[in-house]
Amino acid sequence: MARNMKLEVLQSARQQAKTYDEWREISLELDAHSGLDLWKIETASDHYHHELLRERLLTLRQWQHSHNHKLLIRSLREGLHHDLGNMGNAKLYGRAHVGTKRLIEDYVDQVCASLDYLCDATIEHLTNDEKLALFEDILRSFGQPALQLSGGATLGMFHIGVCKALDEQGLLPSVISGSSAGSLVASMIGTHTRDEMDAYYDGDALYKHAWSWNKITDGLRGKGFANQKQLETFIRQNVGEMSFQEAFEKTGRHINVSISPTGNNQKSRLMNELTSPYLLVWSAVLASCAVPLLFPPVTLTTKTADGDHAPYMPLERWVDGSMRSDMPRRRLMRLYNVNYFIASQVNPHIVPLLESERKKRQNEKISSLPRRILKTQAKLLSMGSLQVVHDSVSNEALRQMLSHVYTMISQSYHGDATIAPPSYGMKHYQHMLQNPTKESVIWFRQQGERATWPKIDQIRVQTKISMTLQKCVARLLQRKAHNWHEAEVRALLQEPTLRHG
């Protein structure tokens, strides 16, 4: 009885925690009192290949301790793969209140320790340039994480809390995509330095006047029921006047904005420093936020070589990115070799479904297999039927509507780790089309932080190797630049002597 009361007290304290460190400390105490610490220590489980991880861990530890650089490099080069032995299995991260199997954490820590050791050790048979090539090859093979931020109008302020929680733990990926409201948060992150973002996390630097309304007659004439000029001012105040290339050069972050075409002869696009380096970031965000009926389609704006503004693809117009590509997984994988997706989902028509699916998975039994098969088949049948009808009709407006419905059904709204509000109440919907205030920013941000905390350990385990590789590459590049600078200085110092001789 006393044990149950202790668990209830800890559960209550956990729900009231103000910081992640406090939340994690209470979660560890809950695991200790509920016996889940023993589950973490036990290596055996049907959910992952524990023998493989243990063998790899001991091998890496042996070659590092014996300073056998050649065998350590070979072991990492040929045996380092993301999700080795199924260690990313979601069932390994929902059992305890925090953390997972100790063997998995020890393996990841050992890989990172070995990588740091090789990066910083003096190795006779490896120059700095050869080391750099080695680490770039391993990173290219292993991949990197990405954060995807969904649409959701003012509900997108939840993403601010998600980014803040990840950022504070050093887990915010350098690849971030967003559609609609998510594109605004992604672009704020990608156009401001870490120090500059503190004021946005607190709501102080955020320009908050996003919404004003047109006359009903304007909306009926196709000009949109909301004032697009006001939205443009809101975006430009928060994002600035940088192109995608300039933003990347400032922050080193790969920001990606999803936009959807209005016509059938154009595909949805992912705008970033690779696909559209000179496009103004605010212009892509404005298009991605152009929800049909609320706002008219947008003609994009690029920055010329002289710094002037000019139309980008002036014959095309673009709308809300979440209509066709809320979370563009395939394109991110192709462009940035992404191996792990963190999804922050706030769309009001998706969040209730996520919670429903989560509860069903918890109670999933073999008897539910027919229902799941029928659900999958119904989805495929719906997609096929929509495609047939789309190809058969000639009415352009109807074809466009069917295309939007098809893509909304077919696209995935989940990630490898999915962060979402547990539910929505009336207060959330009241905020949806209202201008944010400092109080509402903090209210949404705190919800985003709290929803992220239970995912932190899972994300840390799954992304730590990638981020260690990125840091090693950055250090090796710095050394290369330093060595090049020293060589230049030596050459300049020797030049007068040569001339005098």
Side-chain angles (χ1 to χ4, degrees):
M1 187 69 176
R3 178 173 175 271
N4 289 339
M5 288 183 63
K6 177 65 174 177
L7 289 174
E8 288 179 8
V9 170
L10 288 172
Q11 289 281 13
S12 177
R14 186 172 181 249
Q15 292 174 1
Q16 302 300 319
K18 302 297 183 185
T19 66
Y20 172 69
D21 289 339
E22 181 186 353
W23 181 91
R24 191 173 194 278
E25 185 178 344
I26 297 170
S27 298
L28 289 170
E29 195 173 349
L30 270 168
D31 284 342
H33 278 81
S34 58
L36 287 169
D37 273 357
L38 296 176
W39 176 83
K40 296 179 189 177
I41 294 171
E42 293 172 354
T43 59
S45 171
D46 293 335
H47 298 315
Y48 76 118
H49 196 335
H50 53 92
E51 296 95 341
L52 174 62
L53 287 190
R54 180 173 176 78
E55 186 272 332
R56 295 285 302 155
L57 167 63
L58 294 177
T59 299
L60 291 173
R61 188 176 290 168
Q62 177 185 351
W63 298 146
Q64 182 177 335
H65 288 176
S66 63
H67 304 292
N68 193 326
H69 300 140
K70 289 186 177 180
L71 289 180
L72 181 59
I73 289 170
R74 287 182 65 88
S75 186
L76 287 169
R77 189 67 186 88
E78 67 183 5
L80 190 57
H81 303 283
H82 181 70
D83 199 16
L84 184 70
N86 200 30
M87 68 179 189
N89 190 336
K91 293 180 180 179
L92 294 166
Y93 299 90
R95 180 76 178 272
H97 293 92
V98 66
T100 185
K101 293 290 188 182
R102 191 71 49 81
L103 173 61
I104 295 176
E105 296 174 350
D106 288 346
Y107 166 73
V108 170
D109 288 344
Q110 180 58 55
V111 170
C112 294
S114 296
L115 290 170
D116 282 328
Y117 168 74
L118 286 176
C119 178
D120 298 330
T122 299
I123 302 176
E124 291 183 1
H125 65 278
L126 272 186
T127 66
N128 188 81
D129 284 351
E130 289 171 333
K131 265 192 193 182
L132 177 59
L134 169 67
F135 274 84
E136 286 178 334
D137 284 345
I138 296 175
L139 178 57
R140 189 177 301 112
S141 169
F142 191 82
Q144 63 177 321
L147 174 64
Q148 297 183 289
L149 308 177
S150 77
T154 307
L155 299 175
M157 289 188 293
F158 176 93
H159 297 318
I160 295 175
V162 174
C163 293
K164 180 175 184 287
L166 294 173
D167 203 1
E168 288 177 344
Q169 298 302 313
L171 298 174
L172 187 63
S174 60
V175 178
I176 307 176
S177 76
S179 61
S180 195
S183 71
L184 174 66
V185 178
S187 297
M188 284 166 50
I189 296 287
T191 55
H192 295 89
T193 64
R194 176 63 183 81
D195 291 339
E196 291 172 339
M197 277 307 301
D198 284 334
Y200 284 90
Y201 289 147
D202 292 336
D204 292 326
L206 184 71
Y207 179 79
K208 303 178 181 67
H209 190 30
W211 298 96
S212 65
W213 301 96
N214 292 330
K215 297 177 182 179
I216 294 179
T217 52
D218 290 334
L220 295 174
R221 286 200 299 265
K223 295 182 178 180
F225 290 97
N227 188 332
Q228 193 170 63
K229 196 63 183 176
Q230 182 59 55
L231 177 66
E232 179 182 324
T233 300
F234 169 77
I235 294 170
R236 295 175 78 165
Q237 288 289 332
N238 287 309
V239 172
E241 300 294 323
M242 281 180 276
S243 66
F244 279 95
Q245 179 174 291
E246 290 168 338
F248 173 72
E249 290 170 352
K250 177 181 178 180
T251 67
R253 296 202 183 278
H254 308 275
I255 50 175
N256 296 261
V257 175
S258 295
I259 58 175
S260 301
T262 56
N264 282 322
N265 295 322
Q266 186 63 265
K267 303 291 185 182
S268 58
R269 297 279 296 273
L270 193 63
M271 317 308 278
N272 52 51
E273 86 284 356
L274 298 175
T275 62
S276 49
Y278 315 120
L279 187 71
L280 288 162
V281 176
W282 67 258
S283 171
V285 176
L286 182 64
S288 194
C289 291
V291 180
L293 297 181
L294 283 178
F295 301 106
V298 171
T299 300
L300 298 172
T301 305
T302 190
K303 183 180 284 190
T304 68
D306 297 326
D308 298 326
H309 293 183
Y312 175 85
M313 298 180 68
L315 298 180
E316 298 288 347
R317 294 193 300 166
W318 307 86
V319 293
D320 183 4
S322 63
M323 296 294 293
R324 297 197 186 182
S325 191
D326 197 38
M327 294 190 170
R329 293 171 64 102
R330 289 185 180 179
R331 278 174 288 173
L332 289 172
M333 291 172 70
R334 185 170 63 249
L335 286 171
Y336 300 105
N337 193 27
V338 173
N339 60 16
Y340 187 79
F341 288 95
I342 307 164
S344 179
Q345 179 58 255
V346 298
N347 262 313
H349 61 290
I350 300 299
V351 168
L353 297 177
L354 291 177
E355 180 62 13
S356 174
E357 288 181 12
R358 185 187 67 81
K359 290 179 179 178
K360 286 178 182 177
R361 283 197 302 271
Q362 286 180 336
N363 302 317
E364 218 166 62
K365 298 177 182 177
I366 191 66
S367 59
S368 68
L369 187 60
R371 175 184 56 80
R372 283 181 279 155
I373 292 174
L374 285 173
K375 183 178 178 181
T376 302
Q377 290 300 314
K379 179 178 177 179
L380 293 173
L381 180 61
S382 299
M383 290 166 57
S385 300
L386 283 168
Q387 187 65 58
V388 170
V389 175
H390 173 274
D391 294 342
S392 303
V393 300
S394 57
N395 183 279
E396 184 65 26
L398 180 57
R399 285 170 61 88
Q400 186 174 327
M401 183 189 72
L402 290 170
S403 179
H404 287 328
V405 174
Y406 178 90
T407 51
M408 288 179 69
I409 292 175
S410 63
Q411 65 178 300
S412 173
Y413 295 93
H414 299 77
D416 297 294
T418 304
I419 304 167
S423 62
Y424 279 145
M426 185 56 66
K427 188 175 180 181
H428 290 88
Y429 294 112
Q430 289 173 344
H431 278 293
M432 194 168 170
L433 297 180
Q434 289 183 358
N435 286 314
T437 63
K438 179 166 182 175
E439 291 73 21
S440 65
V441 171
I442 293 174
W443 186 69
F444 275 105
R445 188 203 73 202
Q446 289 174 341
Q447 292 177 57
E449 289 180 274
R450 296 193 64 83
T452 306
W453 292 344
K455 305 288 186 178
I456 289 289
D457 276 71
Q458 176 185 355
I459 293 169
R460 192 191 310 279
V461 168
Q462 295 299 307
T463 63
K464 188 175 182 179
I465 295 174
S466 295
M467 293 190 170
T468 299
L469 282 166
Q470 289 174 335
K471 291 174 183 175
C472 287
V473 168
R475 291 206 299 276
L476 291 166
L477 284 171
Q478 287 177 347
R479 287 173 202 158
K480 181 176 181 176
H482 178 72
N483 293 341
W484 178 85
H485 178 70
E486 283 191 337
E488 287 288 302
V489 171
R490 284 196 299 270
L492 288 172
L493 290 174
Q494 292 171 2
E495 191 172 333
T497 305
L498 292 172
R499 285 176 180 170
H500 181 71

